[in-house]
Amino acid sequence: MNNTCLLIPALEPQEHFIDYVKKLKQIPHLHIVVVNDGSHQDYDIIFNKIARLPQCYVIHHPQNLGKGEALKSGYRFIQKHLSFCQKIICADCDGQHAVIDIQKMIAKMYSDESLFMLGMRNFSFRHVPIKSWLGNRMASLLLWMSTGHYIQDTQTGLRGYDYQLLDSLLKINGQRFEYETNALVILLKQVNLNTIPIQTIYYHHNQHTHFRPIQDTWLIIKSLYSSFYLYTLLSFLCFMIDWLVFIFLSSLFIFFFQSSLTVIFCSSIISRFLSIICHYQLVQKHVFQPVNQIQSMSRYMALCIFIVFLSSIGTYCLHFLLSTPMSKILIDGCLFFLSYAIQKKWVFS
């Protein structure tokens, strides 16, 4: 018997939510957990009717905590009371997810032994409201830029997880809609993602959605690029070390070497070596997840040699047009983005 739990976070759902839950009850071996995320007391009648249905459970938040916290409350409840459920399906309360699609996801997760699955809607422009289209296209682009994975529907609420992933899901940061983006980013690193096409359904042009286009989009951007912001801050600190040492040495070596290429090359190597030591220790500890230190160090050093070579040649070529210090700033600024991408994809992968 394949017991499955359906988790639905709900904030002030419409009256048809009751009928929706009743239709879901037709799915065999399904246990439904609804999280009332701080709805006004006028909605208690809806949640009370659902709680009286067999194998339906309602969790109440005294105030609105956000979708992320609602999902976490549901996960904790499942771990404590429904640990016999092998798969957990998350769906929205607005009826966007057809019962037949949920049934298909459950069947596919068991048949494919999937650990993580997303229900993918058709996001062609004519199928969805403009606000939802823009939000999803923006989120897909940002996710691709951050992780290298392009997912058509990053904001889908229909998601399937194996029970063993609950501990990981509970550790993920995020209180509102950014939580699902954080979960997507982290799980893409841990398990294989399976997808299943689902219907694109919007009631009343999605006017009852609680997604805030500006605030929640900003939270998604912030969560996707928080590591990059920290990396930038630490890199700037090491860059200042590099640049100041370079200026000092280039001023010193001019008295010993006649060739400007020799001055620039020697100054770059020494200044970069000092900043490399600081940079590796900082980003390995605070930005990227712990990995094999011997392997990451060897890859990091190989990357640094490559970047130093490009920096030296680029600075030398550009110094005919600009001053040497300004040339180094421009060249290293361009190499910064290349270095981050290689570190993320190869050095600390």
Side-chain angles (χ1 to χ4, degrees):
M1 182 184 299
N2 294 327
N3 287 293
T4 304
C5 184
L6 181 65
L7 174 58
I8 307 177
L11 174 61
E12 300 183 350
Q14 302 301 299
E15 188 71 27
H16 63 74
F17 180 49
I18 300 173
D19 295 328
Y20 180 61
V21 173
K22 289 180 178 178
K23 291 179 181 178
L24 289 169
K25 288 299 301 169
Q26 300 172 9
I27 301 176
H29 312 303
L30 185 69
H31 302 262
I32 300 176
V33 176
V34 176
V35 181
N36 170 18
D37 188 28
S39 302
H40 190 273
Q41 61 183 9
D42 293 344
Y43 292 84
D44 286 350
I45 186 173
I46 295 176
F47 292 107
N48 291 337
K49 288 182 179 180
I50 292 173
R52 287 195 289 268
L53 296 174
Q55 295 183 325
C56 287
Y57 313 88
V58 177
I59 305 169
H60 295 276
H61 286 175
Q63 60 185 9
N64 177 243
L65 300 179
K67 187 176 184 181
E69 290 298 329
L71 289 170
K72 291 177 187 178
S73 292
Y75 298 149
R76 284 188 286 267
F77 181 88
I78 293 169
Q79 284 187 323
K80 185 175 182 180
H81 301 285
L82 301 172
S83 58
F84 52 83
C85 291
Q86 302 169 45
K87 305 294 182 184
I88 293 87
I89 308 296
C90 298
D92 294 335
C93 68
D94 52 10
Q96 286 191 28
H97 306 128
V99 176
I100 185 64
D101 287 333
I102 294 176
Q103 285 180 300
K104 289 179 179 178
M105 175 173 278
I106 294 173
K108 188 172 178 60
M109 287 200 73
Y110 281 109
S111 63
D112 296 351
E113 297 183 351
S114 299
L115 298 180
F116 180 32
M117 183 174 291
L118 295 180
M120 292 288 181
R121 296 166 291 182
N122 182 351
F123 260 84
S124 59
F125 187 75
R126 58 190 177 88
H127 282 90
V128 299
I130 180 64
K131 182 170 69 172
S132 298
W133 185 87
L134 287 173
N136 269 272
R137 295 284 62 78
M138 176 66 74
S140 295
L141 177 62
L142 292 172
L143 182 70
W144 174 74
M145 292 172 62
S146 175
T147 67
H149 294 272
Y150 184 81
I151 297 177
Q152 176 180 317
D153 188 5
T154 62
Q155 300 303 296
T156 178
L158 186 58
R159 304 183 177 210
Y161 305 105
D162 190 88
Y163 181 86
Q164 66 181 279
L165 294 180
L166 290 188
D167 284 334
S168 296
L169 288 167
L170 285 168
K171 296 176 183 177
I172 295 172
N173 294 326
Q175 293 183 311
R176 296 185 59 83
F177 288 97
E178 81 280 5
Y179 169 79
E180 291 182 307
T181 301
N182 292 342
L184 187 56
V185 170
I186 291 175
L187 291 182
L188 283 173
K189 300 176 183 178
Q190 299 178 355
V191 297
N192 292 327
L193 170 66
N194 288 351
T195 63
I196 182 174
I198 62 174
Q199 301 174 56
T200 306
I201 303 172
Y202 284 99
Y203 286 102
H204 307 294
H205 300 284
N206 208 28
Q207 62 180 333
H208 297 297
T209 181
H210 296 285
F211 182 84
R212 306 169 302 177
I214 296 177
Q215 300 98 314
D216 289 321
T217 298
W218 164 246
L219 288 174
I220 291 172
I221 294 173
K222 184 179 177 182
S223 64
L224 280 174
Y225 290 95
S226 59
S227 62
F228 179 73
Y229 298 147
L230 180 57
Y231 177 87
T232 302
L233 178 62
L234 296 176
S235 297
F236 179 76
L237 175 62
C238 296
F239 165 76
M240 291 304 299
I241 296 173
D242 185 357
W243 190 70
L244 291 173
V245 173
F246 173 83
I247 296 302
F248 171 76
L249 292 179
S250 60
S251 301
L252 179 64
F253 288 163
I254 199 69
F255 298 105
F256 298 95
F257 302 106
Q258 305 247 333
S259 170
S260 57
L261 175 59
T262 305
V263 171
I264 292 174
F265 190 75
C266 292
S267 300
S268 294
I269 289 178
I270 297 174
S271 62
R272 185 56 59 90
F273 178 76
L274 294 175
S275 67
I276 279 172
I277 297 174
C278 297
H279 192 259
Y280 175 81
Q281 294 297 330
L282 290 172
V283 300
Q284 192 260 97
K285 181 178 180 180
H286 299 290
V287 178
F288 301 106
Q289 295 184 2
V291 292
N292 185 308
Q293 190 163 8
I294 297 177
Q295 183 185 50
S296 64
M297 173 63 83
S298 61
R299 291 182 176 183
Y300 185 85
M301 294 306 298
L303 173 63
C304 288
I305 293 172
F306 176 65
I307 294 296
V308 167
F309 175 77
L310 292 182
S311 176
S312 301
I313 296 301
T315 302
Y316 174 73
C317 294
L318 197 60
H319 96 286
F320 292 107
L321 301 175
L322 301 171
S323 66
T324 300
M326 185 56 67
S327 299
K328 183 170 175 61
I329 290 176
L330 291 177
I331 293 298
D332 286 356
C334 295
L335 292 175
F336 170 79
F337 295 99
L338 175 64
S339 177
Y340 175 77
I342 296 176
Q343 287 181 59
K344 186 172 185 178
K345 294 295 183 181
W346 181 61
V347 176
F348 296 103
S349 64

